[in-house]
Amino acid sequence: MIDARRLRTLRAVADHRTVTAAAAALYLTPSAVSQQLAALEQETGHDLLAREGRGVRLTAAGEILLGHADVVLAQLERAEADLAAYSAGVSGEVTVASFATAIASVLAPAVGLLAERAPGVRLKVLDAEGDASLPMVLDGRADLAVAVEYRGAPRADDARLTRVPLYAEPFEAVLPLGHRLADESGPLAVAALADEPWIGPYPGNPCHDVVLLACEHAGFQPRLLHSSDDFRAVVALASAGLGVALVPRSALRGVDLGEVAVRPVDSELATRRVFAAVRAGADGHPLVRPVLDSLAEAAASGA
């Protein structure tokens, strides 16, 4: 009989590629992870991992078992959801990992809606960048993520996750007031900024990927001379004349725009697509479902 807890350990090792990183994600010691993997290999009668440099990779047998593990773990989530729904009196805590702008635009408004429809549900909110929240859900450190599309993200059809689309927002060009294109009307061609110095998020931030993708589609690589993940800082640097930027529309709310020009751009690729995600099978959990519904309603109201 294969122990489902060991399947979770196998999935963590496959995601993180080292025993040490998987142990940290699972709040276990590396020796405990190694023992669980050894026991799983004994249960299955196959070598599941092979060393590769400083990390590990799954063998062919490990890949086969991993595909079944995702199905089994999703079904266990559904079983827990059904049992929780059977219990009378829904009350408990849901941990939500979300990036800061989404906390302000949809998560905070959803709290009021949740208080009306499921007063027994309490939220624990963790501020996490859009590329950090999905691993937190997969590792069990969060129940729900509010995340964005980014390069390297789990695919939309990833069997480990269930997604709920929330909203899509355009990026807008932020230019110094004295810029040659600041006073023009209509959408700004991203290609017109090819020779400009740029200000933008650091690599690894999903917004960095959006900026690169929009610029690449326009036929150039942006010269990112100044970097900050804080969009207030990005706008301040643009107002000082240090460069141009593409910034998500919601990130400009409440920011002093007195010394910059903000213009829409002509690229559909310059869009941040935001969604909620939970582990597959958990979307029907009586604690999680009201949170998902409240997020979707708050997003629709703010669209």
Side-chain angles (χ1 to χ4, degrees), residues 206-231:
C207 291
H208 177 89
D209 293 341
V210 173
V211 172
L212 286 188
L213 189 61
C215 292
E216 288 169 2
H217 187 72
F220 70 97
Q221 289 280 343
R223 290 189 299 124
L224 282 164
L225 299 185
H226 313 285
S227 299
S228 175
D229 288 332
D230 185 334
F231 288 116

Side-chain angles (χ1 to χ4, degrees), residues 34-170:
S34 296
Q35 290 170 12
Q36 290 196 21
L37 293 172
L40 186 59
E41 289 183 326
Q42 186 174 11
E43 288 172 344
T44 61
H46 291 279
D47 292 332
L48 303 176
L49 297 170
R51 291 204 170 276
E52 188 173 65
R54 295 183 178 180
V56 293
R57 63 172 176 81
L58 268 63
T59 63
E63 293 286 358
I64 291 171
L65 183 59
L66 185 67
H68 290 287
D70 290 338
V71 175
V72 170
L73 294 175
Q75 192 59 43
L76 286 174
E77 292 282 355
R78 294 187 186 96
E80 291 178 5
D82 288 345
L83 288 171
Y86 177 77
S87 301
V90 175
S91 179
E93 183 178 83
V94 176
T95 300
V96 181
S98 172
F99 59 100
T101 308
I103 290 175
S105 59
V106 293
L107 186 51
V111 171
L113 298 171
L114 189 64
E116 296 177 2
R117 59 171 50 125
V121 177
R122 305 182 306 278
L123 293 186
K124 178 181 179 180
V125 179
L126 305 177
D127 187 341
E129 288 296 339
D131 58 338
S133 57
L134 292 178
M136 292 173 71
V137 168
L138 292 172
D139 292 340
R141 289 174 287 161
D143 302 304
L144 188 153
V146 179
V148 299
E149 296 287 358
Y150 62 93
R151 293 180 183 181
R155 290 162 49 96
D157 59 355
D158 192 307
R160 297 172 293 164
L161 294 167
T162 297
R163 295 189 182 202
V164 175
L166 295 179
Y167 64 92
E169 63 171 326

Side-chain angles (χ1 to χ4, degrees), residues 168-261:
E169 63 171 326
F171 280 55
E172 297 190 324
V174 177
L175 314 172
L177 276 184
H179 192 277
R180 57 188 171 82
L181 301 173
D183 295 328
E184 293 187 6
S185 60
L188 173 64
V190 175
L193 302 174
D195 296 328
E196 302 288 339
W198 281 71
I199 311 159
Y202 284 100
N205 186 314
C207 291
H208 177 89
D209 293 341
V210 173
V211 172
L212 286 188
L213 189 61
C215 292
E216 288 169 2
H217 187 72
F220 70 97
Q221 289 280 343
R223 290 189 299 124
L224 282 164
L225 299 185
H226 313 285
S227 299
S228 175
D229 288 332
D230 185 334
F231 288 116
R232 292 170 299 179
V234 170
V235 171
L237 291 173
S239 70
L242 293 184
V244 301
L246 292 180
V247 176
R249 178 176 291 169
S250 65
L252 295 174
R253 295 172 187 162
V255 177
D256 182 3
L257 302 176
E259 298 299 322
V260 295

